[in-house]
Amino acid sequence: MINFQKELNKEQNEAVINGDGYCLVLAGAGSGKTRTITYRVAYLLEKGVKPENILLLTFTNRAAKEMLSRVETLTGKKPEKLWGGTYHSIANRILRHFGEIIGYPANFTVLDADDSKTLMKSGIKDLHLDGSTRFPSVNIIHNLFSFSRNSLMSISDVVESKFPHLLRYEESMKDVCALYQKKKKESNVMDFDDLLSYWLEILNNPDVLKKIAEQFHYVLIDEFQDTNRLQAAIVKKLSSIHNNLLVVGDDAQSIYAFRAADINNILDFPKNFPKAKVHRLVINYRSTPNILDLANDVISQNKKQFPKELQSKLKSAEQPQLITVNNPYTEAEFISQKVVNLAKAGNKLQSIAVLFRAAFHAQMLEIELAKMGIPYEMRGGLKFFERAHIKDVLSLLRLINNGKDEIAWFRVLEIFQGIGHETAKIIIGEARKAKDFSQLFLGGVREKLSKTAQRGWDDFASIAKILDQKRKGNPGEIITELVESVYSDYLKERYENADDRLDDIRQLSFYAKNHKTLNNFLSEIALDESYSKKKDDTRDRLVLSTIHQSKGLEWDSVFLINLANGCFPNERAMKEDGGEEEERRLFYVGITRAKQNLFITYPMTGSKMNYNQLSPFIEEIKEELIEKKIQGGLGEISDEFPTIQIDDDSAPAFLKKNKKIKTRPGEFLRSIEDL
């Protein structure tokens, strides 16, 4: 027998033993959410509820396995017949039994994302939409259609609200989606969205609903704040007979609206189920009181929420710090040096994380870490020099520098519409004959291409001519030209996050301005192994992550970077309905990842040398909750930037590599004078 009262705190125990009926468990960050839901399952099993009458829904296979493993540990036996898993895995099991009702035999195949896009791409070709016009990429259409289905919104509404720049393609995209659905049905295949859509469809059949909902006496949902409208509709149906639905979540951590998650599912739970009980878990076992005081203050600014004050079980420690830096370069220097100091003090790199609103915010840091030999892993995106658009830009620069670079030619030409492999070979042949790069645009090449390929060549030429004219100039200025070229149109028609990719290129330009010649810049990137991907790297590594990817995780020390207005909060997100509050929740999630130390950085200038205003989220914070410092030659922080001599044989490898680490304490003051 489990002693629930002894093993749980008062709030957790109350949710576990009084969880019948409709229950909302508001579980604040670090308050034992997983512990509570697994003890609730164990409690039901102890009370004699059969495992097959319990349904536990989660968002990831990892979470499902962890919860079921904990239940097994608590009860002493494996709950083999318990229905526990992700929404998609449970949908798959149910549709194998009931799929015939909607015309799907039990042996249907489930497509992964790549297969789904391949099938949709074949539909685009069948409809002859891959020809002369700049039709949206299959990635964009696939994501648009997926958002439509999960949000229960029409394609027209999604295009209008999320993709207004694609309005001229709306009818054609609808045709693609309709043909895609038809092809799947004919092939007896489903994609991930079909699993949920068809699950809801069969639940609309009264006989099927009775059979399924009758079986599940108790339905438990993890991370309810992350559910979309489709999932919420399924959950409501499943609990419609026995009326035992317990959902666990935290409205303050709802940060996935871009995936169609709807915070109103959790906010409106008491309204949708008027007799629902609400339990609050507010005792935090992760962070110091200093960090929680800051988190509580930040989230208190949101109006649409369930108010709650997290309370720490730990002793007070260092206050969170706001460090003002000159620009992304000095921000990177500060963080890298601070990481060195933390490592010297005995902290493992893996216990330290740098979190950011978007991956491009960490570009200067990645470059600085590579220079210093500090190993790191990137979560929530590829490392900077591994990203497709960065490789595109570097390939363009390589061509300007060396017009006979065949590998660069192939990569660049595949960007432009109408130029395939064989056409590229013709162009490369002409390039080999040319005395210099500019000679290619005098007329000889274009006449040898088809009309479709000529349009692609013209787009390429419009970029290449400008870059070639600036070939002997500063490499940063050469890259800047790309942001204003037709290459930006290519990114916008191919990727949803085109603006982020353009910001990547701007940051590359900012870095490249430190090099005198294009040849010097390209050589450094090619020759320094720090910029290349290392496979099977098992070293202790610093964690770099988007805040979205960090949710549910924790580190001893956390850096939250680039708290400048327009960057965090994100300027585009602020224009969306509810965007400001979601951005603030994102900031809250970042803060509550820290256990002991929290450092927040604010760069006064950006990659375009524009003056940054401080994030309004920082402006809102009470003065006494955060310690403000300036990096560089002013204030206390300057003492952390001496030249370091390392002689300890037990020091980490990256410290041994850098026997002397120099900094630029005067650079900050000089830059201020320039401003």
Side-chain angles (χ1 to χ4, degrees), residues 117-133:
K117 290 172 185 177
T118 298
L119 187 60
M120 182 175 278
K121 197 169 187 177
S122 74
I124 294 173
K125 290 182 178 179
D126 290 348
L127 293 169
H128 307 292
L129 295 169
D130 60 334
S132 59
T133 60

Side-chain angles (χ1 to χ4, degrees), residues 34-203:
T34 303
R35 184 178 185 82
T36 302
I37 199 169
T38 52
Y39 269 81
R40 173 63 183 168
V41 174
Y43 177 82
L44 293 174
L45 294 173
E46 269 204 1
K47 291 297 179 183
V49 178
K50 294 179 181 178
E52 59 267 32
N53 295 141
I54 300 174
L55 172 64
L56 172 60
L57 287 173
T58 68
F59 274 90
T60 65
N61 288 313
R62 181 181 60 80
K65 289 177 182 177
E66 180 185 352
M67 288 186 179
L68 293 176
S69 175
R70 289 196 191 188
V71 170
E72 181 179 355
T73 301
L74 286 171
T75 60
K77 59 181 179 180
K78 191 172 185 178
E80 293 184 356
K81 295 183 180 180
L82 190 150
W83 285 63
T86 65
Y87 289 86
H88 295 95
S89 66
I90 299 299
N92 177 64
R93 287 179 64 182
I94 289 175
L95 289 171
R96 297 291 176 186
H97 290 282
F98 297 101
E100 294 281 2
I101 295 171
I102 53 172
Y104 269 96
N107 66 335
F108 65 82
T109 302
V110 178
L111 301 178
D112 63 20
D114 286 340
D115 289 337
S116 298
K117 290 172 185 177
T118 298
L119 187 60
M120 182 175 278
K121 197 169 187 177
S122 74
I124 294 173
K125 290 182 178 179
D126 290 348
L127 293 169
H128 307 292
L129 295 169
D130 60 334
S132 59
T133 60
R134 287 183 174 277
F135 194 66
S137 71
V138 69
N139 288 326
I140 286 182
I141 301 175
H142 189 272
N143 290 340
L144 185 156
F145 190 39
S146 178
F147 190 96
S148 167
R149 303 182 77 190
N150 284 286
S151 64
L152 300 182
M153 293 171 64
S154 68
I155 291 177
S156 295
D157 287 343
V158 174
V159 171
E160 185 177 350
S161 62
K162 299 287 183 183
F163 302 89
H165 60 290
L166 300 180
L167 276 169
R168 65 187 184 278
Y169 301 118
E170 181 181 326
E171 294 305 316
S172 296
M173 291 191 294
K174 285 181 181 177
D175 292 340
V176 170
C177 295
L179 181 56
Y180 172 59
Q181 287 296 92
K182 183 173 180 286
K183 282 176 173 283
K184 285 187 290 181
K185 202 71 175 281
E186 291 172 347
S187 302
N188 193 32
V189 299
M190 293 188 195
D191 63 19
F192 275 27
D193 297 325
D194 288 325
L195 292 172
L196 299 188
S197 293
Y198 289 137
W199 188 7
L200 180 59
E201 186 174 331
I202 65 169
L203 289 175

Side-chain angles (χ1 to χ4, degrees), residues 407-437:
I407 297 172
W409 269 113
F410 274 117
R411 180 172 188 96
V412 168
L413 291 175
E414 71 178 14
I415 295 171
F416 299 95
Q417 200 159 16
I419 301 180
H421 187 77
E422 293 305 313
T423 302
K425 286 168 67 175
I426 294 172
I427 295 170
I428 293 168
E430 294 298 312
R432 289 199 185 104
K433 300 175 190 174
K435 292 181 179 179
D436 57 50
F437 194 74

